[in-house]
Amino acid sequence: MTPPRFDGYAALLTGAGQGIGAATARRLASEGAAVLVTDLDADRAARTAAAIREAGGTAESLACDVGSREAVEATVAHAVTAFGRLDVLVNNAYANHDDAALFEDEDDDSWAHTLDITLSGPYRCSRAALPHLVDSGRGAIVNIGSVNGEQDFGGHAYSAAKSGLASLTRTLAGHAGPRGVRVNLVAPGTIRTEAWAGRDEALKRASGLYPLGRIGEPEDIASAVAFLASADAAWITGTTLRVDGGLLGVNTGFRKAMRDSA
């Protein structure tokens, strides 16, 4: 029997207490990885790790603020101590804030916080993890980006941060590749997560803009992350993988408008 794809792997995930991060932690653990579930909310991380253990997987949890270099370095050290190695880093933690009605009314502190967590957070985590990923001989970093990093869907700071993260993915891939570490990014479209709680009608309307006729689920992104983190993607680095139901490739709204006007 073929061993699980991540048998003997150790993975660290940020922002993994719920949503995409939690689904990805469950997926990696289900395929054999020992996972360190981290989140700003310690209780949320603990619940996710407990559910993984109840399902037969190996998981620990830890509170981590990716805005703090000290916290990030302590978290990476914890993973290596707990599991004896580190093979996979998934940078999923992010921050966001609503745009002001007028751009000139945007707030410096909100802008800075969104960029710090969403872009500088992965920078801090990757910097701390990289030596251990090199040592593993099969290290992989998977960043969670967004379609917002490629096209206008609103969110000035969030979109700028996700675009910057795609750029960091490429430059870090160039640096880390000769050291045996791959770096890639998954760019999700609209995903049914807690961020959309209470907005079912908005999600229903959004579904009609997707060529595949639905919004995404966290498990859709987890599957893509698992692929990019695994040996199945051994010759892939520096790439952005859109997991967006065709949103960026097909202008469904325009096509519908043309049909309705015919």
Side-chain angles (χ1 to χ4, degrees):
M1 179 181 292
T2 303
R5 191 161 50 164
F6 294 104
D7 186 38
Y9 279 63
L12 189 165
L13 302 92
T14 68
Q18 61 184 13
I20 290 171
T24 302
R26 291 193 298 268
R27 177 61 182 265
L28 296 181
S30 74
E31 295 196 43
V35 298
L36 179 59
V37 178
T38 76
D39 198 282
L40 188 61
D41 186 322
D43 291 338
R44 216 157 47 192
R47 286 193 294 271
T48 297
I52 289 170
R53 291 193 296 270
E54 289 170 9
T58 300
E60 291 196 12
S61 67
L62 195 67
C64 180
D65 177 5
V66 301
S68 163
R69 179 173 185 170
E70 292 76 15
V72 164
E73 292 179 349
T75 297
V76 170
H78 182 97
V80 174
T81 299
F83 304 134
R85 60 185 301 120
L86 184 61
D87 304 281
V88 176
L89 169 66
V90 180
N91 285 311
N92 176 65
Y94 75 95
N96 195 7
H97 70 275
D98 292 335
D99 288 342
L102 295 175
F103 185 73
E104 54 266 38
D105 293 330
E106 285 289 323
D107 175 74
D108 281 1
D109 290 340
S110 297
W111 171 274
H113 178 67
T114 296
L115 265 66
D116 185 54
I117 300 303
T118 310
L119 177 56
S120 296
Y123 154 74
R124 294 185 188 98
C125 293
S126 299
R127 179 179 59 190
L130 188 56
H132 304 288
L133 298 173
V134 170
D135 288 345
S136 83
R138 57 190 182 190
I141 298 172
V142 184
N143 295 318
I144 306 301
S146 173
V147 293
N148 287 59
E150 300 190 46
Q151 197 174 108
D152 171 32
F153 294 100
H156 302 298
Y158 178 78
S159 299
K162 291 299 190 181
S163 182
L165 186 56
S167 180
L168 178 62
T169 297
R170 294 187 291 270
T171 58
L172 186 52
H175 171 81
R179 303 171 69 188
V181 177
R182 299 179 300 103
V183 187
N184 292 291
L185 179 141
V186 174
T190 307
I191 306 298
R192 192 191 311 276
T193 66
E194 290 78 1
W196 288 92
R199 301 178 65 189
D200 291 345
E201 281 304 312
L203 291 179
K204 183 177 180 180
R205 292 193 300 272
S207 296
L209 299 176
Y210 284 86
L212 292 181
R214 67 173 177 88
I215 61 166
E217 302 294 337
E219 290 74 17
D220 293 317
I221 308 307
S223 296
V225 174
F227 166 66
L228 288 174
S230 77
D232 290 336
W235 209 47
I236 300 175
T237 196
T239 194
T240 290
L241 174 59
R242 298 174 179 173
V243 186
D244 67 349
L247 180 68
L248 294 182
V250 181
N251 194 326
T252 302
F254 181 82
R255 291 164 66 92
K256 182 178 184 300
M258 292 299 98
R259 287 196 303 270
D260 291 348
S261 65

